[in-house]
Amino acid sequence: MPQKILIIEDDKFLRELIIRKLSNEGYQAVEAVDGEEGVKAAKAEKPDLVLLDLILPGIDGFETLSRLKSDQETANIPIIILSNLGQKEDIEKGIKLGAVDYLIKAHFSPGEIIEKIVATLK
Amino acid sequence: MTFSLFSRKKLEEKEKKIALLLSDLTSLEKYIEDLLNFSPLPICFISPLGVVLEINPAFEKVSGFPSEEIIGESIEKLFDAKEIAAISTETIAKGTVAGREMELRKKNGQPLIVRVFTRTRTDENAQTIGYFLGLFDLSEIKQSEQELKKVQTALLSMLEDTEEARKKAEEEKGKTQAIITNFTDGLLFFDKNCNLVLINPKAENFFGIGKKDFIGQPSAEMTNSPGLKKLINFLGPKMKSVSRQEFTLVKDVILEVSVILMKDSESSLGNLIILHDVSREKMVEKLKTEFVSLAAHQLRAPLSAIKWSLRMFLDGDLGSVKKEQKGIIEKAYEANERMVILVNDLLNVARIEEGRYAIETVPVDLVKICQSAIDFAKDSFKKKSIDFEFRQPEKPIMVSADKEKLILVVQNLLDNAMKYTKKHGQVSFALKETPKTVIVEVKDSGIGIAKDEQKRVFSKFFRTKEAVLTEPTGTGLGLYMAKNIIESHGGKIGFKSQLGKGATFYFSLEKRK
């Protein structure tokens, strides 16, 4: 069965690109455009991994992250943060809140993101 | 016969009396003669017609004339005719003249200033038979008078000079005071006992105090002004000599403090503190940095979109790509990658500038930091067939540093060495220790730096001409950032180089005890 990846990203173009890449690589992609939708989708779809942006409309990425981690149903799903914020404080905060990795979108191509997903799901 | 006996007795008595009188007279004459001889004051007796009848030895001495040469001569031999005539007339008329200044002509022609006293002598019929003339040698007195006059003139002259000097000093003091009062920086002066002796209006402004309340107080007691107290604590009890250190008075008020030790040739006079307001500059810096940060983040979004789409295109994720198309898309991808790197560097620089005074230092092993940077760079050196040598120290070397930032510095030096050294060149990496410091040295056999460009090597965005030719894609931010980081650790960074003959870049840090 193909592995399910949930992408929570508000930028339509980037979202579409990543979904296309995921499909090409044989993953099943689920999408959400903001934090609230993301939490709902995670509970409903139970993905194998979540790609989470930090700048989101409504509740921000960190808030979304804590909610996912504190809800029993979603607490065990590995979350990789995909963001263009790159300050040391942001990275530390993300890891502290439970993310397994923090990737800067401008530094990682979709292919490299897939590699990270593969490594995490091993 | 009794009559003649009586007469003879009377005669004898008279003769005895006469003898006694004669004896008295002789005694008296002798007395007068002795007196006149003794008198240190020159005295002479002059007839009403002006003839010298008598002089005493003192008179001989003062006039230079022995008595034979002057007795019987006119007094005009010694004095000016007109002057002595006037004296004479007055004497005879009034009976005495007291203290008239005249000029005596000595025998050798020398004039002598004297003070003259006269008194007449009259006979039984109150006829003037002549007058005494006594004189007082004023020459010595006159000389003293001259000398005193000279001294007086000299003193007056000195007084004038002193007065002028005082006026000048007052003027200078006035000017200096005007400068101090109107100086746009705050000024404080503490004397050698650390008492406040001077504070100008600008300084009063900074601390919100009036000088009256604080002048004369020792620095240790200035608790009424929290701002002033903060400054004193900042400087320390001995008022260490600092130059343009930044001091935050309150939020948003930042002052550059300089302390200058004032002394004359021997001892300390005190300390002058200069406070230069840089709040505005700091604010501008802060805004600039925030802007760069914000802009950089905003730029990353479109750059990510371009990167992802071009990469997917090249990887065939968007359908097949013709060979001709691939080449150009690769170029586009690479150009975008350069922008990503530039934006990253800009962000790093902005962060460095922002956090200039807030680096977090922990004890770290510098050797480990260097080792990890080297491991990262080893492949690039291999690819260029550059002979890389690292003399690894056996023991750890501990420093207080911000690990993340320090690694950036080492990476930058290695990166430069790699970029600017041609194939088959040499790069060596070494750590050297002195008792208190550790020095990291990266030496390369690369393009080197021309003398006329060396001053600007650490400037923001600066790249040498050779560097641009060798490696077109650099940002010119690496060394600027490295310098900032090293200096906020309290270290020093520098280099030695000759164009065409490679470069040795080094930085030093204090070791942790």
Side-chain angles (χ1 to χ4, degrees), chain B residues 19 25 69 230 260 268 276 310 313 377 486:
Chain B
L25 191 64
E69 292 180 30
K230 198 172 176 189
I260 300 164
S268 148
H276 182 62
L310 290 181
F313 210 160
I486 295 295

Side-chain angles (χ1 to χ4, degrees), chain B residues 225-283:
Chain B
S225 163
L228 201 47
K229 185 169 184 207
K230 198 172 176 189
L231 175 67
I232 307 246
N233 286 339
F234 174 76
L235 294 171
K238 293 206 183 139
M239 278 204 206
K240 55 178 194 252
S241 238
V242 295
S243 177
R244 303 175 70 178
Q245 285 277 74
E246 283 188 18
F247 163 72
T248 306
L249 181 60
V250 291
K251 184 170 183 315
D252 293 337
V253 178
I254 302 178
L255 307 173
E256 250 180 21
V257 180
S258 299
V259 177
I260 300 164
L261 177 67
M262 312 275 263
K263 52 181 178 180
D264 60 19
S265 50
E266 328 183 341
S267 57
S268 148
L269 293 171
N271 290 296
L272 176 67
I273 302 176
I274 306 177
L275 304 168
H276 182 62
D277 191 349
V278 292
S279 315
R280 193 181 147 76
E281 283 93 330
K282 287 274 148 214
M283 178 62 71

Side-chain angles (χ1 to χ4, degrees), chain B residues 3 13 90 129 182 186 319 382 415 419-420 441:
Chain B
F3 177 73
E13 275 177 25
E90 202 179 327
I129 51 176
N182 293 301
K382 223 176 181 171
D415 196 43
K419 277 200 291 215
Y420 303 119
E441 236 182 48

Side-chain angles (χ1 to χ4, degrees), chain B residues 45-102:
Chain B
F45 189 71
I46 303 174
S47 79
L49 294 171
V51 176
V52 180
L53 299 175
E54 285 259 14
I55 67 170
N56 73 345
F59 200 96
E60 282 181 307
K61 191 164 170 204
V62 84
S63 66
F65 285 107
S67 50
E68 321 81 74
E69 292 180 30
I70 195 74
I71 296 206
E73 299 287 334
S74 164
I75 188 67
E76 287 173 12
K77 211 168 179 171
L78 298 165
F79 291 105
D80 172 77
K82 264 209 191 123
E83 281 182 17
I84 199 65
I87 299 280
S88 207
T89 314
E90 202 179 327
T91 307
I92 293 172
K94 293 200 188 149
T96 176
V97 163
R100 202 60 54 84
E101 216 170 279
M102 295 183 71

